[in-house]
Amino acid sequence: MRSGIVTLIGRPNVGKSSLLNALVGRKLSIVSHKPQTTRHAIQGVLHAGDGQVVFVDTPGLHLQARKALNRAMNDAAAGSLHDVDLVVLVVEALRWTEEDQAVLERLQGMPAPVALVVNKVDRVSDKTRLLPELEQLSQRRDFAFVMPLSATQGHNVATLGAEILARMPEGPPLYPPDMIVSYDNAFLAAEIVREKLTRSLHQELPYALTVAIERYTVEDLQRGPGQMHRIGAVIWVERDGQKMIVIGENGSTLKRVGSAARRELERLLGARVFLQLWCRVRENWSDDPKALRQFGLSGE
Ligand SMILES: Nc1nc2c(ncn2[C@@H]2O[C@H](COP(=O)(O)OP(=O)(O)OP(=O)(O)O)[C@@H](O)[C@H]2O)c(=O)[nH]1
Ligand SMILES: [Mg+2]
């Protein structure tokens, strides 16, 4: 048996969360087209016949971290680089930015080996550009290996999983076989609501909101088998104007977000879900260390 811990690191939006979900074969981490979607280090476990890999999805490391929330996200990512067996640096094919460069520099002097995953190769229409791109990227440091893949198309994902497992140290599993994820259902509910909000709200609004679960109870259904999860969630924003946008005309936006989140939670939990959403204002929460602690966004 082999087992180990592997951190997925990279700038925002390269597809780290998509890759975690693809590797484990389940949606564990929320995904959106906007950068800085992931805010916590999230562990997902890949169980194989001959071993186990604990993957850690991390917030995208970014420059210009002006607010306390941004600093907490960067800290959560950087803190996940210690005591791991392998670091997987995720980048986007044909798009190397100064933030990628900054991540690469941050990995200097780290004891763990670093592998490079070149994601989103499905977007490279001219495939003759891929080989020179891979060659160029391999020069940037001494990588354990370099692998092109597509997290959303599934291309090379299983190969990556096998390659990583083969490099894990020999040893017993770190977690029991039924353990797949590190968080509880309340965290999942907050994240799914935030994902739907992030996908449907424009511009800066996703960065000004967070979701906190105030109530979570589970009861047996009175008619038939199965369970009902009753969830009460508060969407915190920073200003009254933002609250109006989140709620929408006659509550239409909140209603749309609520039903999308409820449907997905019912699928993920395999249960009925009753989801109530409220929107409240807490001025400047994203730059307020006390608020961040209360919302579980710092000091992980
Ligand atoms: N075409 C294509 N799009 C992808 C691929 N992988 C991820 N994406 C898209 O890239 C966007 C960002 O994906 P995420 O998985 O949220 O990226 P991330 O690195 O976790 O981003 P942060 O959490 O913000 O750091 C989403 O719109 C994904 O659908 C891929 O292999 N191909
Ligand atoms: Mg992410």
Side-chain angles (χ1 to χ4, degrees):
M1 291 292 283
R2 297 181 177 278
S3 66
I5 304 179
V6 175
T7 291
L8 308 176
I9 201 98
R11 71 164 158 85
N13 213 41
V14 291
K16 300 175 294 299
S17 301
S18 304
L19 181 57
L20 173 79
N21 296 342
L23 282 162
V24 178
R26 239 175 77 173
K27 175 156 169 188
L28 303 180
S29 193
I30 63 169
V31 167
S32 91
H33 59 287
K34 296 200 176 75
Q36 297 175 28
T37 297
T38 304
R39 289 179 178 170
H40 304 260
I42 288 175
Q43 292 189 1
V45 188
L46 173 67
H47 298 274
D50 47 352
Q52 182 183 78
V53 184
V54 180
F55 288 102
V56 187
D57 179 25
T58 59
L61 274 170
H62 52 289
L63 301 168
Q64 305 218 355
R66 288 204 192 91
K67 294 190 166 182
L69 172 62
N70 298 94
R71 290 191 290 278
M73 287 161 63
N74 277 343
D75 287 350
S80 306
L81 292 169
H82 302 289
D83 298 324
V84 297
D85 298 292
L86 178 73
V87 172
V88 172
L89 170 61
V90 184
V91 302
E92 243 180 276
L94 301 176
R95 195 171 294 170
W96 181 269
T97 71
E98 60 169 345
E99 278 187 321
D100 293 298
Q101 186 61 36
V103 178
L104 190 70
E105 280 161 22
R106 202 180 253 271
L107 295 178
Q108 261 164 22
M110 291 276 165
V114 178
L116 180 71
V117 158
V118 184
N119 190 29
K120 307 196 187 182
V121 292
D122 57 291
R123 289 221 296 225
V124 180
S125 44
D126 179 3
K127 299 291 180 208
T128 61
R129 294 181 69 189
L130 215 47
L131 205 58
E133 161 80 348
L134 293 175
E135 250 159 40
Q136 215 176 39
L137 286 171
S138 341
Q139 318 269 312
R140 292 189 183 267
R141 84 165 262 161
D142 190 13
F143 291 110
F145 62 89
V146 177
M147 193 167 291
L149 63 75
S150 168
T152 48
Q153 306 292 306
H155 175 71
N156 257 357
V157 170
T159 315
L160 176 67
E163 179 71 45
I164 289 174
L165 184 59
R167 288 165 186 269
M168 293 296 103
E170 283 182 23
L174 300 165
Y175 289 117
D178 55 350
M179 156 117 186
I180 299 197
V181 73
S182 55
Y183 53 72
D184 60 12
N185 287 343
F187 180 87
L188 173 73
E191 286 288 269
I192 295 295
V193 171
R194 195 165 63 79
E195 179 188 76
K196 304 310 169 206
L197 287 162
T198 303
R199 289 181 180 187
S200 62
L201 297 171
H202 299 290
Q203 289 159 352
E204 294 303 302
L205 205 42
Y207 305 104
L209 64 83
T210 192
V211 179
I213 302 299
E214 306 256 298
R215 194 160 42 83
Y216 199 118
T217 57
V218 180
E219 60 202 53
D220 289 331
L221 287 175
Q222 294 185 335
R223 272 178 243 157
Q227 287 183 320
M228 163 74 88
H229 292 229
R230 289 185 189 277
I231 307 167
V234 176
I235 301 159
W236 291 96
V237 293
E238 304 201 295
R239 292 194 303 275
D240 279 326
Q242 295 167 339
K243 180 173 164 176
M244 305 220 334
I245 299 171
V246 167
I247 292 172
E249 214 172 319
N250 298 320
S252 56
T253 308
L254 208 54
K255 202 179 269 178
R256 186 158 39 82
V257 163
S259 13
R262 179 182 51 76
R263 277 195 301 273
E264 174 138 37
L265 282 168
E266 290 193 328
R267 186 175 65 76
L268 293 170
L269 296 166
R272 297 279 303 280
V273 169
F274 178 71
L275 176 65
Q276 275 183 303
L277 298 177
W278 293 272
C279 187
R280 292 193 198 129
V281 176
R282 174 142 175 186
E283 264 174 51
N284 202 30
W285 68 263
S286 68
D287 205 20
D288 174 357
K290 193 171 156 212
L292 291 185
R293 275 196 302 279
Q294 283 171 359
F295 293 148
L297 282 160
S298 72
E300 280 182 279

